[in-house]
Amino acid sequence: MIYIIMGVSGCGKSTLGAFLSEKLGWPLHEGDNFHPQANIEKMARGEALTDQDRMPWLLTLHEVIERERSSGSDALVVCSALKRLYRQILLYGSRALTSFSSVHPGIPLSNPPDVFFLFLYGDYDLIHQRIVARKGHYMKEDMLRSQFEVLEPPLDEENVLPLNIARSLADMATEVENHYNSLGNRQIQGP
């Protein structure tokens, strides 16, 4: 199983990813570590990334996901995945671009059964407070509004488990474990 932990900046993706990785013993791939330097510098200047800026990053994360799927391993991937197109690129790489072309606009590819999105959602004010409080991250709090404007919450057919960030990490992790077990997977055994 691959869980892609998604949501706007400051919602707790990395924190939940690290918590789950330690608890479950699964590898964690932090999406921020795969951004080209130009993207990091742009965000540090307070400039929002364009779709063109994101494409190489998303295609790299697609390769990471495919490598984990091919190995048959369970893994966690952290990526904002704000738009449906981004989520399709994570799953299908450049093939997703043709499904969203002008010839066939918006025809989604069906999601593989072994990949789920964990959608971390919450109130703007709560997330804004979290961003203001964190130190040393290149994403600035004044960019949060643009992320909410771009966000296309995932639909049920996208294999999504919504997680309200007002809950504790332990509660969210338990829900993920229960979800994994409910899919008929082997019981999760931590490290």
Side-chain angles (χ1 to χ4, degrees):
M1 175 65 70
I2 308 297
Y3 280 118
I4 302 171
I5 305 170
M6 62 159 295
V8 298
S9 184
C11 69
K13 298 182 299 290
S14 297
T15 303
L16 179 63
F19 187 87
L20 286 170
S21 178
E22 184 174 322
K23 181 175 178 134
L24 307 176
W26 293 8
L28 173 65
H29 302 281
E30 173 56 63
D32 285 347
N33 295 339
F34 295 89
H35 268 298
Q37 188 61 35
N39 285 6
I40 293 170
E41 291 169 4
K42 190 171 184 177
M43 288 183 284
R45 291 190 304 266
E47 299 174 37
L49 297 179
T50 65
D51 285 352
Q52 186 175 356
D53 294 328
R54 286 185 179 93
M55 285 308 138
W57 173 63
L58 292 168
L59 290 169
T60 299
L61 288 174
H62 164 71
E63 292 171 9
V64 169
I65 292 165
E66 282 304 296
R67 187 174 60 243
E68 290 290 358
R69 289 182 71 213
S70 295
S71 74
S73 298
D74 295 316
L76 302 158
V77 176
V78 173
C79 177
S80 53
L82 298 177
K83 292 184 179 180
R84 184 173 180 125
L85 172 61
Y86 303 166
R87 295 187 292 274
Q88 290 287 294
I89 292 169
L90 290 173
L91 298 174
Y92 296 101
S94 58
R95 289 186 307 153
L97 298 174
T98 58
S99 76
F100 279 82
S101 71
S102 58
V103 177
H104 303 288
I107 298 173
L109 300 165
S110 60
N111 284 23
D114 61 339
V115 180
F116 266 81
F117 290 94
L118 302 179
F119 174 42
L120 277 58
Y121 68 93
D123 175 75
Y124 175 88
D125 291 331
L126 172 61
I127 296 172
H128 186 263
Q129 288 171 3
R130 288 181 177 187
I131 289 179
V132 170
R134 72 182 178 185
K135 305 290 183 231
H137 196 278
Y138 55 79
M139 182 70 175
K140 305 299 183 212
E141 70 261 12
D142 55 351
M143 295 179 63
L144 180 61
R145 182 65 63 197
S146 70
Q147 290 215 332
F148 268 87
E149 290 168 359
V150 168
L151 177 64
E152 296 172 1
L155 307 172
D156 287 342
E157 65 265 17
E158 289 185 81
N159 291 356
V160 61
L161 177 62
L163 297 169
N164 186 333
I165 65 166
R167 298 171 50 210
S168 73
L169 275 176
D171 285 350
M172 289 190 289
T174 297
E175 187 168 347
V176 172
E177 286 182 86
N178 291 340
H179 178 263
Y180 180 88
N181 295 334
S182 76
L183 296 173
N185 295 298
R186 61 194 180 280
Q187 294 288 312
I188 292 179
Q189 302 293 321

